Amino acid sequence: MGKTSDLTAVQKTIIDTLHKEGKTQKVIAKEAGCSQSSVSKHINRQAKGRKKCRRKKCTSSRDNRTLQRIVTTNPFTNVGEIHKEWTAAGVSASRTTTRRLMKDMGFRCRIPCVKPLLNMKQHKKRLAWAKDKKDWTDAEWSKVMFSDESKFCISFGNQGPRVWRKSGEAQNPRCMRSSVKFPPSVMVWGAMSSAGVGPLCFLRSRVNAAVYQEVLEHFMLPAADQLYGDADFTFQQDLAPAHSAKTTSTWFKDHGIPVLDWPANSPDLNPIENLWGIVKRRMQYARPNNAEELKTTIRATWALITPEQCHRLIESMPRRITAVIEAKGAPTKY
């Protein structure tokens, strides 16, 4: 006897007809010339669309609204504390039910985003900068060498408490946390353009103007030769004290290198920030035992960055600028 998938159209018609007449599956199988299990599977398949009986819900709409208010008010609270507060309000439900209802409401447990707090003056400067650069083409942005420092921690697993939030709430201020300082780490300076990345510099001490100019001399200039050759380029840097020092400005003038004007506290506008993120995600399962092993891992991961990745990030500049204009100078998701 054949399988359910082997039933002919005639056999299926016979099974449906006899089933409607109230015949037993044994009789139907004999009449249709197939196995009883095939009859059973075919009947069950036909009945899949029927309404299923469900257990009565143990919570009311009012209880669910109370739960949503608790999660929204305290998004950094874990499930156990949320369940405890909810049941204290007179609701009888298990911890599993609490978690399931939170998921049904759209809440997911995520690592909170971190972004700088900007005042209105900084908002206005970012907006003015974005409007000034909104007509720049990809060709113009490809002539900019972006640079930045980033801290790499030996332990990547300790990312702090998680937050309950819904889709689209990643940038909501109540769902964000401040960054934690001083973990075991190394500070790295790097540069990129649409042609690729330059050599990394591991900073051993606090960066003042003199140290930064050494970095420019021994790492930025070789990066420029590697990425641009004899072509002209514009250098980008943030407004850190060492970067905006008078002696640093003099250094750029003496070397004939134009510097791109840049708004304060704007990591969302710098594509190299995304590049640091790519490197750190690739390193999230690495377990270096000391600073030297960490440096080796960073160098190896940085070397895997392709020019295509850099080019795509540079191409995102018009979208970043549009996002800042639409946000009226406020920080964006980039």
Side-chain angles (χ1 to χ4, degrees):
M1 301 201 177
K3 298 179 180 179
T4 308
S5 59
D6 296 330
L7 292 175
T8 64
V10 175
Q11 286 176 314
K12 292 178 181 179
T13 302
I14 293 173
I15 293 172
D16 292 338
T17 302
L18 296 179
H19 179 63
K20 289 179 182 178
E21 294 176 359
K23 303 293 183 181
T24 64
Q25 292 185 5
K26 186 175 181 180
V27 173
I28 296 174
K30 187 175 181 180
E31 291 292 330
C34 62
S35 67
Q36 189 173 338
S37 64
S38 296
V39 173
S40 177
K41 289 178 181 179
H42 176 73
I43 292 173
N44 290 336
R45 187 173 292 146
Q46 294 297 103
K48 269 188 176 180
R50 68 186 179 186
K51 187 176 180 181
K52 296 181 180 180
C53 297
R54 295 184 181 274
R55 186 172 62 180
K56 185 178 179 181
K57 294 182 177 179
C58 64
T59 60
S60 64
S61 298
R62 183 175 181 178
D63 294 335
N64 294 346
R65 289 195 299 271
T66 301
L67 176 61
Q68 183 162 2
R69 184 172 63 253
I70 291 171
V71 179
T72 304
T73 305
N74 305 295
F76 289 90
T77 309
N78 59 43
V79 177
E81 292 297 323
I82 291 172
H83 173 253
K84 186 177 180 179
E85 185 176 348
W86 194 35
T87 53
V91 180
S92 178
S94 67
R95 179 169 173 164
T96 302
T97 299
T98 304
R99 180 182 286 275
R100 177 177 54 78
L101 286 174
M102 289 169 62
K103 186 176 180 181
D104 292 343
M105 292 174 185
F107 290 105
R108 299 293 184 270
C109 191
R110 297 288 187 262
I111 297 171
C113 297
V114 180
K115 67 179 180 181
L117 181 64
L118 304 180
N119 55 41
M120 288 307 300
K121 184 178 180 181
Q122 291 169 329
H123 281 210
K124 291 179 181 179
K125 287 186 176 181
R126 280 165 50 88
L127 181 59
W129 183 90
K131 288 181 177 180
D132 183 59
K133 301 293 188 295
K134 66 182 177 65
D135 294 325
W136 276 35
T137 63
D138 290 342
E140 288 175 293
W141 285 116
S142 67
K143 295 179 181 179
V144 178
M145 180 192 293
F146 291 88
S147 70
D148 191 33
E149 295 88 12
S150 184
K151 181 184 289 186
F152 285 76
C153 300
I154 288 180
S155 175
F156 290 94
N158 183 18
Q159 302 189 49
R162 288 177 172 252
V163 61
W164 291 100
R165 70 185 187 214
K166 295 183 179 181
S167 177
E169 291 186 338
Q171 301 297 321
N172 190 315
R174 71 175 184 81
C175 297
M176 303 183 74
R177 66 172 177 84
S178 57
S179 57
V180 179
K181 295 185 177 181
F182 310 124
S185 61
V186 296
M187 185 66 74
V188 188
W189 178 92
M192 65 166 289
S193 75
S194 62
V197 297
L200 293 175
C201 174
F202 292 94
L203 304 170
R204 298 181 179 180
S205 61
R206 184 176 179 180
V207 179
N208 55 29
V211 172
Y212 184 60
Q213 289 160 35
E214 289 291 322
V215 173
L216 296 175
E217 189 74 38
H218 299 292
F219 292 90
M220 191 275 282
L221 292 180
D225 291 337
Q226 173 187 328
L227 299 174
Y228 292 98
D230 295 330
D232 294 332
F233 72 96
T234 301
F235 186 69
Q236 179 277 335
Q237 60 181 2
D238 59 27
L239 301 183
H243 302 177
S244 55
K246 289 184 178 180
T247 54
T248 303
S249 300
T250 302
W251 186 94
F252 280 111
K253 290 179 182 178
D254 291 344
H255 287 77
I257 299 174
V259 178
L260 181 69
D261 60 302
W262 195 254
N265 292 333
S266 299
D268 53 328
L269 288 170
N270 195 344
I272 199 172
E273 294 287 350
N274 301 83
L275 206 58
W276 293 131
I278 292 172
V279 173
K280 290 176 181 179
R281 283 194 296 273
R282 290 180 177 179
M283 291 176 58
Q284 63 181 332
Y285 299 113
R287 292 295 178 265
N289 296 314
N290 51 54
E292 289 305 316
E293 290 185 9
L294 177 59
K295 291 178 182 179
T296 300
T297 306
I298 296 171
R299 288 192 188 96
T301 310
W302 183 257
L304 297 176
I305 299 296
T306 64
E308 290 75 20
Q309 287 176 300
C310 297
H311 184 71
R312 285 195 296 270
L313 288 173
I314 298 299
E315 283 185 329
S316 70
M317 285 304 298
R319 296 193 298 274
R320 294 169 191 263
I321 290 172
T322 300
V324 170
I325 294 174
E326 291 177 352
K328 297 181 180 180
T332 63
K333 67 179 181 178
Y334 286 97

